[in-house]
Every structure is written in C-alpha cells, then in structure tokens.
Amino acid sequence: MAAQDTQESNQQASGGGTGRRALLGAAVLGATAGVLGLSGTARAAEARTGGGHGGGLKSLPVPTIIGHRGASGYRPEHTFGSYQLALDLGADVVEAGDLVPTKDGHLVCRHEPEIGGTTDVADHPEFAGRRTTKVLDGVSTTGWFTEDFTLAELKTLRAIERIPANRPHNTLYNGRWEIPTFEEVLKWQDEQTRKRGKQVWIYPETKHPTYFRGLGLGLEERVAKLLHKYGKDKKNSPVILQSFEPTSIQRLNKLVDNPLVVLLSAANTRPWDFVEAGDARTVADLITRAGLREIAGYAQGIGPTLDLVIPKDAAGNLTTPTTLVKDAHAVGLILHPYTMRNENPFLPANFRKGTGADAYGDVFGAYRTYFATGIDGVFTDNADTGLLARADFVNG
C-alpha cells in the first residue's frame, strides 16, 4: 500500500453492498470503546475478539495491526521473508501484496510497476535495454516496468531494500528473495494458516488499475479469478481488497464479495481514475459526509493517510483530530490509516528523537495519539511495535 513518503494517486463512485457493511459493526464498536469510556479490561476483551462475534472482519482484533508490505521495517518489502516475519511478529493482517501485472498477464507483488528501486534488475545486463521512460498516472517515470517482463524473466530478479538510507540494516538481505506472485501468496496463506492453527489474513491492493486497463492488463478480473480459484471470494474470506481508485473497488464489488477498502491520499489530490474521467472531485470531497455515504454504498472501509485523521502544522507537529473517524463510523465504514514507521523522518515532528535518518523516535506516543481517535486499525512497517502499542492502549 501506499506510504506517506511516496506520491500516490487514485479513488470513487456507486454500487451496492449495504449488507456487507453490517459485518463491521463490532469492529467499529471495538475501536471506539475507549471513546465510550469502557474499562481497560473491557477494551482488551474487545481488542481480542474484534467485538465479541466470530467470522469475517469481526474476528480481527481492534485496533487491527496490519503488516505494511510485510515487516518492511526489518526486511525488503513484498518478499516472503517480509511476509513471514510479519506473521512471526504477530501481525493480525499482512499486506501481501501490491498487485501489478507481468507482460504475460500474471499478478506479482511489487510496490510499484517500476522495479529499479526494489529489485536488482539494474545488475542484469540482459535487461539493460528494457530501461525506459513512461508516464505513470501523469508522472514521467524512468526505470524498468513489470509489464515489460514475462513472469519467468521477473523470477530471475531478486528483491532489494527500497529505502536504504533509512534502513541500512535491511540491505543485509538484498538478493535473498525473489518476487512473489499473487497465486503464490494465496497458497502461502493457506500453508501458514494450517501450520499456525490460526487464520492468516492478507490485504492486497490493485495498483494503478486505470493505467493497466489501458494496456489491456485489467487487474480486477485477474484478482477475482484467483480468489475464486482458491475459494477466497466470499464476504467472510480472509482477504481484504484495497485500491486508491474508487472505480477499481466498484469493479471488484461486482466481481467478488470480499471486504473492500477505498484508499485516500492527501486531501488536495485527485484519484487518477477521476483525472482520466474528467471528475473534478478531490479526496477532500470524498471525505465529506456525502462522499463517505457514497463510498459506503460499495465498500466497507477507507484507508486514509494519517494526516487525514490528525493534520500536521507547518512545522510537522500534530494538531487537532478531524471528524473523519466519527463521520466514517456514522455510515458504517471502518478506518485503517497508513503508515506507522519507527524512524524519525516518518514520525510527526513532536515525536522525533535526535536527528538520525534511521533513528527511532517516540513511536509509542504517536500510536497512542492516533489510537485515541478511534481508528479501527493501522498499517505499520513494524508489527511488533504496533502490537505493544495496542496492548498499552487497550490496557491503559
């Protein structure tokens, strides 16, 4: 999923699915327990059970700790090393993965279709001629793109750390893991569920769906086909689907019954499908009460940036929370904002310690502040930190 250190685009429109929203009532109750004044013990019980009822999203603890691209604070993102570690650290859900297509139509897990920054493709002389410049959602981007490689070719590459300046320790694992396919992830999910005796949840994202549809590589039908193949296309299936493009979520709503989440970037941005369709609305329009009601017609949740929950001032300090949590809950939507990271550069200024680019700040203080707004979960690069922060919150 998108991070606050990268530029993301995409969201919106209509559909149907009010019935599926009923699944979320207990999760919303669990997340808002602190606001309602429940005791620490009662809140801890809510957190363990996701509201006290089994099945589907309601079975997840609240606030839900979502391993962002796995355990990307400790391993190169979107690798089985990262996904596996996220489970080992206790993540409730693993974001496996950001889905992009290959030239021959397979879905693979990469943060972006451009793979120069996340694989060793630059070290492969046989692929030097594939380096090119493309316009991706309006942005000129130079590098190597998954849609120019067959799956067999991509499987010869190995993953590397995307932000080595912030995570030099992760470079130790450069070259260790290959690029996973979505089908491999679905098989891995079943294997891990059996081995651990506990249902493993995943949270894949369709990346740049309008761009890929224009190339004849539509994502949603490919996602739905695989989910159907593995029996994971039901309302209680342990697969939550997300996208920055609302029309992608609307399309998925017609193809599968999975829980669906609309991702929301900065308030002044426009989802790329809106740009392509000439829709002038921005994210600010989508988070109005009317906008949220519309989203609730075809999705079960939203994934806003943390800045939409609590804005920052010019100095980067947190200010007063917005009404987004209350407004979203009022129409039955859950909120899974992104992204919590331990390192100083990714924290609000008032929670930083020292000046090191890879030094950890007061991330527990930041978690406490965000959890207090009533969010239902959070994406984090450091699932172990998130779990400790949740324990502090529900027992505090």
Side-chain angles (χ1 to χ4, degrees):
M1 106 105 56
Q4 287 166 307
D5 61 314
T6 59
Q7 285 198 331
E8 297 284 354
S9 42
N10 318 41
Q11 266 108 327
Q12 173 22 260
S14 77
T18 304
R20 296 208 307 255
R21 296 205 307 276
L23 292 174
L24 306 176
V28 171
L29 173 61
T32 55
V35 177
L36 295 174
L38 295 183
S39 68
T41 303
R43 276 185 271 137
E46 291 286 359
R48 284 194 300 273
T49 64
H53 305 285
L57 281 173
K58 294 180 295 184
S59 68
L60 292 172
V62 177
T64 307
I65 302 303
I66 305 156
H68 185 234
R69 307 176 198 161
S72 51
Y74 311 112
R75 300 287 187 273
E77 64 192 30
H78 286 313
T79 60
F80 279 118
S82 184
Y83 298 159
Q84 192 78 22
L85 183 57
L87 289 182
D88 292 344
L89 293 175
D92 302 312
V93 184
V94 179
E95 191 195 25
D98 291 337
L99 303 180
V100 292
T102 65
K103 183 177 183 178
D104 47 349
H106 296 277
L107 294 176
V108 295
C109 304
R110 286 290 85 191
H111 172 48
E112 290 289 337
E114 198 292 300
I115 55 174
T118 60
T119 73
D120 61 359
V121 65
D123 298 330
H124 286 251
E126 68 273 25
F127 297 136
R130 305 278 179 94
R131 189 171 188 267
T132 186
T133 299
K134 300 189 181 191
V135 178
L136 182 63
D137 291 3
V139 179
S140 182
T141 305
T142 299
W144 292 263
F145 296 80
T146 59
E147 67 267 26
D148 295 332
F149 292 78
T150 64
L151 178 59
E153 289 173 331
L154 285 178
K155 283 293 187 178
T156 68
L157 307 180
R158 294 295 178 268
I160 62 172
E161 172 54 37
R162 185 177 61 85
I163 46 174
N166 303 110
R167 292 171 178 166
H169 48 286
N170 285 10
T171 62
L172 172 67
Y173 305 100
N174 283 357
R176 182 170 288 269
W177 292 291
E178 63 181 31
I179 297 173
T181 68
F182 185 43
E183 185 160 20
E184 288 168 347
V185 163
L186 293 172
K187 292 177 181 177
W188 168 84
Q189 180 186 22
D190 289 339
E191 290 166 2
Q192 291 301 310
T193 295
R194 285 194 297 271
K195 285 181 181 178
R196 295 169 188 267
K198 176 184 175 182
Q199 180 61 61
V200 169
W201 281 71
I202 61 172
Y203 210 137
E205 176 188 345
T206 57
K207 300 290 293 193
H208 307 288
T210 294
Y211 168 78
F212 284 119
R213 187 162 293 279
L215 297 178
L217 292 167
L219 300 179
E220 296 83 4
E221 294 82 3
R222 288 173 166 81
V223 170
K225 183 178 179 181
L226 284 171
L227 291 177
H228 180 70
K229 177 179 177 179
Y230 288 91
K232 298 180 182 183
D233 57 348
K234 313 295 191 296
K235 67 178 182 179
N236 285 337
S237 294
V239 182
I240 308 168
L241 301 173
Q242 56 178 333
S243 182
F244 277 93
E245 295 191 15
T247 54
S248 182
I249 294 300
Q250 290 175 319
R251 196 179 294 272
L252 286 166
N253 186 47
K254 294 180 174 130
L255 296 170
V256 296
D257 290 325
N258 299 72
L260 303 174
V261 170
V262 174
L263 297 170
L264 300 166
S265 193
N268 62 351
T269 63
R270 289 167 67 200
W272 187 251
D273 51 343
F274 282 22
V275 175
E276 288 284 333
D279 188 329
R281 287 177 298 169
T282 64
V283 168
D285 297 306
L286 296 181
I287 59 175
T288 62
R289 291 178 182 178
L292 292 168
R293 277 196 302 272
E294 186 174 357
I295 290 173
Y298 59 87
Q300 287 66 57
I302 56 173
T305 69
L306 287 164
D307 287 348
L308 293 178
V309 176
I310 310 180
K312 298 189 187 85
D313 62 20
N317 297 301
L318 292 185
T319 61
T320 305
T322 67
T323 63
L324 180 59
V325 175
K326 175 174 66 87
D327 294 342
H329 284 170
V331 296
L333 293 169
I334 59 167
L335 300 91
H336 289 159
Y338 63 92
T339 305
M340 290 297 295
R341 296 183 169 96
N342 289 359
E343 296 92 354
N344 275 322
F346 308 113
L347 288 170
N350 45 322
F351 292 100
R352 294 174 191 161
K353 290 183 176 179
T355 57
D358 60 343
Y360 284 5
D362 177 20
V363 70
F364 289 112
Y367 273 108
R368 185 166 56 249
T369 304
Y370 286 119
F371 284 160
T373 65
I375 59 175
D376 303 282
V378 69
F379 285 84
T380 174
D381 288 8
N382 311 83
D384 51 343
T385 309
L387 287 165
L388 287 171
R390 178 175 71 195
D392 291 345
F393 177 71
V394 300
N395 293 311

